[in-house]
Amino acid sequence: MSAAASVAGAAVIWIILLGPVITLITRMSPGDLASALTGPGDLDPLITSVESGLVTLGVLILLCTPLAWMLARGRLPFPRVWEAGLLCALLLPPLVIGLLLVFMVGPYTWVGGVLDWLHQSATNTFLALVIAEVYESAPYYVLGATAAFASVDTRLEEQAGLLGDPPRRVFRRITLPLAAPGLAMSLAVAWARAIGAFGAVVIIAYHPFGIPLQIYTTLQETGLYSALPYALILLVVALPLPLAAYIWSARAERRRRG
Amino acid sequence: MLSADVEVDRRDFTVRAALSVADGERVALFGPSGAGKTTVLEMIAGLVTPRRGLIELNGRVLTSTAPPAVAVPPWQRRVGLLRQDPGLFPHLSVRANLLYARSAAGGAELDSLAAQLGIDGLLPAMPAQLSGGQRHRVALGRLLLAHCDALLLDEPFAGLDAALRRTLTALVSHLCAERGVPSVLVTHQLTDAQAFASRLAVISEGQIVQEGAPDEVVLRPASRLVAGLVGYLGFVPAGDGLVAGVHPDRVVPGADPGRGLVVSGDIVAARPSGAGWEADVRAGDAAFTCRLPGRPAGERVSVTLLDAPCFGPDGALRDVTHSRSSNPA
């Protein structure tokens, strides 16, 4: 009896959490979706979001993975200071990040000056969109990737070294495969954050439109119903990577258990 | 040939060890927990840097603190280390684990070693599917297939039951001798050390306090300190300011002065031990523990210590022949 009650309770919470998704699907018809996406330029926000999201992921992998590894292996002095900085970035409201980014990389700053000299700008450009998405998603990726690397037993790395592998090969053959499920999940979370970034984006990169801004402007200009197809597109674009990462992690874990 | 003469500071004491192991020789570094045994192995493996020292393997300098300083990284040392945690790579199958080292050969050698280790049916399995003993066998096979020039074993079977430990110790001892590589076992279990080694080195607080054949070290401990480490559970007066060490297994019940020193005392406590009984005996100011074939009858007991080593007031071994009795009570 109590087991059945627990399952029922869990199911109620699950349905409540999934409520927005269920609402979105039940409120939409294929016709709404088709009419929202068949006009000229209708797919541009989607393309912008996917492109900026992919570039953001590339930046995170290249710059934040080594940082996460160094944090996990205690290779940085004063580790608490580094962690506090990451938490600070995580806890900063996105709107505030956008506001501060204007004062950091805007046209009247020295960074803006350098970018201007390079015929670039960090406001209302694709670059600005990527910068905003990186700031909104990086802390999630770094913290997740740090935990993924920290979960790899250093004694295994040590053993691989004693069996003749230099550190780079140990990283490739032991550290990376063992941390991969956690890294994939962190990357998936970062992707969802990047593709759905709005707070910082609305201030520093109002143009070009990604999907979140398309939803916002459609909502402002033509009402709730017109924004729903874009909400569904955002969901469809944002979800597959996390889902794939989750399924792949689960399969990797099952394979390890044999 | 492996030789190490190293010194490193630890929080409580300085580890100073000089060890030389010939090809095919098996040395056991025996001592209590925290004596610095593992530190010595880690210095040889290149995981800990000595403050001062020279480590050579087959004429190759692995570590030298004297100018020009040499510190060969662990992955170039060709030294295998097997710890209590077998450290199998969980994402690789048993076969992939065995063949992990780039120098590892597959084919006939893999098949023959797997059969020798009794893991030939487990090659496609994942490490998580193996029992504790099987994991240790795979880890040992991986080390042997890597063709290391020296094998270091850091209490590898400490977490296993006694029977399995005995089997694996005998197996590893046999394989090390067969391969002809110098090997060092670190353990705080005297029986493991004796089963494995052709030479025993006793270490205490970072210093090697005695080295020799395993039976010689146990029967003729160089000092009271070593005697205590190798299982002597008490010392009784033996005249002329000397004390005799009492090893529980080197005691026969009854007074037989022709066979050794006779000691009489009061039984303080007795308990079953293995197939016999163990008794704590107080003889005057001295106390010792001995094993008896059956439950002791009465409150007093007389026992004869067989070939008991004697120690002087300085704690050093003295050459004395016993045929008298020690009855301080």
Short mmCIF file of all heavy atoms in Angstrom, two decimals, chain B residues 230-260:
data_model
loop_
_atom_site.label_atom_id
_atom_site.label_comp_id
_atom_site.label_asym_id
_atom_site.label_seq_id
_atom_site.Cartn_x
_atom_site.Cartn_y
_atom_site.Cartn_z
N VAL B 230 58.47 -9.75 14.51
CA VAL B 230 58.28 -11.04 13.83
C VAL B 230 57.50 -12.04 14.69
O VAL B 230 57.48 -13.23 14.40
CB VAL B 230 59.62 -11.67 13.36
CG1 VAL B 230 60.30 -10.78 12.35
CG2 VAL B 230 60.54 -11.98 14.54
N GLY B 231 56.87 -11.56 15.75
CA GLY B 231 55.89 -12.41 16.42
C GLY B 231 56.27 -12.90 17.80
O GLY B 231 55.56 -13.75 18.35
N TYR B 232 57.36 -12.43 18.40
CA TYR B 232 57.68 -12.84 19.78
C TYR B 232 56.77 -12.07 20.72
O TYR B 232 56.73 -10.84 20.70
CB TYR B 232 59.16 -12.55 20.09
CG TYR B 232 60.07 -13.56 19.43
CD1 TYR B 232 60.40 -13.45 18.09
CD2 TYR B 232 60.58 -14.64 20.15
CE1 TYR B 232 61.20 -14.38 17.47
CE2 TYR B 232 61.40 -15.58 19.54
CZ TYR B 232 61.70 -15.45 18.20
OH TYR B 232 62.50 -16.38 17.59
N LEU B 233 55.99 -12.82 21.52
CA LEU B 233 54.97 -12.18 22.35
C LEU B 233 55.39 -12.21 23.82
O LEU B 233 54.70 -12.77 24.66
CB LEU B 233 53.62 -12.87 22.16
CG LEU B 233 53.02 -12.78 20.76
CD1 LEU B 233 51.69 -13.52 20.69
CD2 LEU B 233 52.81 -11.33 20.35
N GLY B 234 56.51 -11.66 24.11
CA GLY B 234 56.93 -11.57 25.51
C GLY B 234 58.39 -11.94 25.67
O GLY B 234 58.99 -12.60 24.80
N PHE B 235 58.95 -11.48 26.77
CA PHE B 235 60.36 -11.75 27.08
C PHE B 235 60.45 -12.13 28.55
O PHE B 235 59.82 -11.50 29.40
CB PHE B 235 61.20 -10.50 26.79
CG PHE B 235 61.16 -10.11 25.33
CD1 PHE B 235 60.18 -9.25 24.86
CD2 PHE B 235 62.08 -10.63 24.42
CE1 PHE B 235 60.11 -8.90 23.51
CE2 PHE B 235 62.02 -10.29 23.07
CZ PHE B 235 61.04 -9.43 22.63
N VAL B 236 61.26 -13.16 28.82
CA VAL B 236 61.39 -13.62 30.21
C VAL B 236 62.86 -13.58 30.59
O VAL B 236 63.75 -13.73 29.72
CB VAL B 236 60.84 -15.05 30.39
CG1 VAL B 236 59.35 -15.07 30.16
CG2 VAL B 236 61.55 -16.03 29.46
N PRO B 237 63.17 -13.35 31.89
CA PRO B 237 64.58 -13.32 32.30
C PRO B 237 65.26 -14.65 32.00
O PRO B 237 64.67 -15.71 32.18
CB PRO B 237 64.49 -13.08 33.81
CG PRO B 237 63.13 -12.51 34.03
CD PRO B 237 62.25 -13.09 32.98
N ALA B 238 66.50 -14.56 31.50
CA ALA B 238 67.23 -15.78 31.17
C ALA B 238 68.58 -15.80 31.89
O ALA B 238 69.50 -16.51 31.50
CB ALA B 238 67.44 -15.86 29.66
N GLY B 239 68.72 -15.00 32.97
CA GLY B 239 69.96 -14.98 33.75
C GLY B 239 71.01 -14.08 33.12
O GLY B 239 70.93 -13.74 31.94
N ASP B 240 71.97 -13.67 33.96
CA ASP B 240 73.08 -12.83 33.52
C ASP B 240 72.59 -11.54 32.85
O ASP B 240 73.23 -11.04 31.91
CB ASP B 240 74.01 -13.57 32.53
CG ASP B 240 74.55 -14.86 33.13
OD1 ASP B 240 74.67 -14.90 34.38
OD2 ASP B 240 74.80 -15.81 32.37
N GLY B 241 71.46 -11.03 33.28
CA GLY B 241 70.94 -9.77 32.72
C GLY B 241 70.35 -9.92 31.33
O GLY B 241 70.02 -8.93 30.68
N LEU B 242 70.22 -11.17 30.89
CA LEU B 242 69.65 -11.38 29.55
C LEU B 242 68.15 -11.66 29.65
O LEU B 242 67.64 -12.05 30.70
CB LEU B 242 70.34 -12.57 28.88
CG LEU B 242 71.85 -12.51 28.73
CD1 LEU B 242 72.36 -13.79 28.07
CD2 LEU B 242 72.27 -11.30 27.91
N VAL B 243 67.45 -11.46 28.53
CA VAL B 243 66.05 -11.89 28.45
C VAL B 243 65.91 -12.80 27.23
O VAL B 243 66.62 -12.63 26.24
CB VAL B 243 65.07 -10.70 28.33
CG1 VAL B 243 64.99 -9.91 29.61
CG2 VAL B 243 65.40 -9.82 27.13
N ALA B 244 65.01 -13.78 27.34
CA ALA B 244 64.75 -14.69 26.22
C ALA B 244 63.42 -14.33 25.59
O ALA B 244 62.45 -14.04 26.29
CB ALA B 244 64.72 -16.13 26.73
N GLY B 245 63.39 -14.35 24.28
CA GLY B 245 62.15 -14.07 23.56
C GLY B 245 61.26 -15.30 23.52
O GLY B 245 61.74 -16.41 23.32
N VAL B 246 59.96 -15.06 23.72
CA VAL B 246 59.01 -16.18 23.70
C VAL B 246 58.16 -16.06 22.43
O VAL B 246 57.36 -15.13 22.29
CB VAL B 246 58.09 -16.17 24.94
CG1 VAL B 246 57.17 -17.40 24.92
CG2 VAL B 246 58.90 -16.12 26.21
N HIS B 247 58.37 -17.01 21.53
CA HIS B 247 57.52 -17.04 20.33
C HIS B 247 56.44 -18.08 20.59
O HIS B 247 56.75 -19.22 20.94
CB HIS B 247 58.35 -17.43 19.09
CG HIS B 247 57.62 -17.14 17.82
ND1 HIS B 247 56.52 -17.85 17.43
CD2 HIS B 247 57.82 -16.19 16.86
CE1 HIS B 247 56.07 -17.37 16.28
NE2 HIS B 247 56.84 -16.36 15.93
N PRO B 248 55.17 -17.72 20.45
CA PRO B 248 54.10 -18.65 20.83
C PRO B 248 54.20 -20.00 20.14
O PRO B 248 53.77 -21.02 20.70
CB PRO B 248 52.82 -17.93 20.41
CG PRO B 248 53.19 -16.58 20.00
CD PRO B 248 54.67 -16.46 19.92
N ASP B 249 54.77 -20.03 18.92
CA ASP B 249 54.86 -21.30 18.19
C ASP B 249 56.12 -22.08 18.54
O ASP B 249 56.29 -23.20 18.05
CB ASP B 249 54.85 -21.03 16.68
CG ASP B 249 53.54 -20.43 16.22
OD1 ASP B 249 52.52 -20.71 16.88
OD2 ASP B 249 53.54 -19.68 15.23
N ARG B 250 57.00 -21.50 19.34
CA ARG B 250 58.27 -22.17 19.68
C ARG B 250 58.27 -22.55 21.16
O ARG B 250 59.26 -22.39 21.87
CB ARG B 250 59.46 -21.24 19.38
CG ARG B 250 59.54 -20.74 17.96
CD ARG B 250 60.10 -21.75 17.01
NE ARG B 250 61.44 -22.17 17.35
CZ ARG B 250 62.02 -23.27 16.89
NH1 ARG B 250 61.34 -24.09 16.10
NH2 ARG B 250 63.25 -23.59 17.23
N VAL B 251 57.14 -23.03 21.61
CA VAL B 251 56.96 -23.39 23.02
C VAL B 251 56.38 -24.79 23.10
O VAL B 251 55.48 -25.12 22.32
CB VAL B 251 55.99 -22.38 23.69
CG1 VAL B 251 55.52 -22.89 25.04
CG2 VAL B 251 56.65 -21.02 23.83
N VAL B 252 56.90 -25.64 24.01
CA VAL B 252 56.26 -26.94 24.26
C VAL B 252 55.84 -26.99 25.72
O VAL B 252 56.53 -26.45 26.58
CB VAL B 252 57.18 -28.14 23.92
CG1 VAL B 252 57.37 -28.27 22.43
CG2 VAL B 252 58.50 -28.04 24.64
N PRO B 253 54.68 -27.59 25.99
CA PRO B 253 54.23 -27.63 27.38
C PRO B 253 55.12 -28.56 28.22
O PRO B 253 55.67 -29.53 27.70
CB PRO B 253 52.80 -28.16 27.27
CG PRO B 253 52.74 -28.85 25.95
CD PRO B 253 53.75 -28.21 25.06
N GLY B 254 55.27 -28.22 29.50
CA GLY B 254 56.04 -29.06 30.41
C GLY B 254 57.48 -28.58 30.53
O GLY B 254 57.97 -27.84 29.69
N ALA B 255 58.11 -29.04 31.60
CA ALA B 255 59.51 -28.64 31.86
C ALA B 255 60.44 -29.68 31.26
O ALA B 255 60.40 -30.85 31.64
CB ALA B 255 59.73 -28.51 33.36
N ASP B 256 61.23 -29.28 30.29
CA ASP B 256 62.18 -30.19 29.64
C ASP B 256 63.50 -29.44 29.44
O ASP B 256 63.80 -28.95 28.35
CB ASP B 256 61.61 -30.67 28.30
CG ASP B 256 62.44 -31.78 27.69
OD1 ASP B 256 63.55 -32.06 28.22
OD2 ASP B 256 62.00 -32.36 26.66
N PRO B 257 64.29 -29.29 30.52
CA PRO B 257 65.51 -28.46 30.46
C PRO B 257 66.48 -28.92 29.37
O PRO B 257 67.26 -28.12 28.87
CB PRO B 257 66.14 -28.63 31.84
CG PRO B 257 65.06 -29.18 32.70
CD PRO B 257 64.12 -29.93 31.83
N GLY B 258 66.38 -30.17 28.96
CA GLY B 258 67.27 -30.67 27.91
C GLY B 258 66.98 -30.04 26.57
O GLY B 258 67.84 -30.00 25.69
N ARG B 259 65.77 -29.53 26.39
CA ARG B 259 65.39 -28.98 25.08
C ARG B 259 65.47 -27.46 25.03
O ARG B 259 65.47 -26.87 23.96
CB ARG B 259 63.98 -29.42 24.72
CG ARG B 259 63.85 -30.93 24.55
CD ARG B 259 62.45 -31.33 24.13
NE ARG B 259 62.16 -30.90 22.77
CZ ARG B 259 60.95 -30.98 22.22
NH1 ARG B 259 59.94 -31.44 22.94
NH2 ARG B 259 60.76 -30.58 20.99
N GLY B 260 65.48 -26.82 26.18
CA GLY B 260 65.53 -25.35 26.15
C GLY B 260 65.24 -24.76 27.51
O GLY B 260 65.17 -25.47 28.52
#
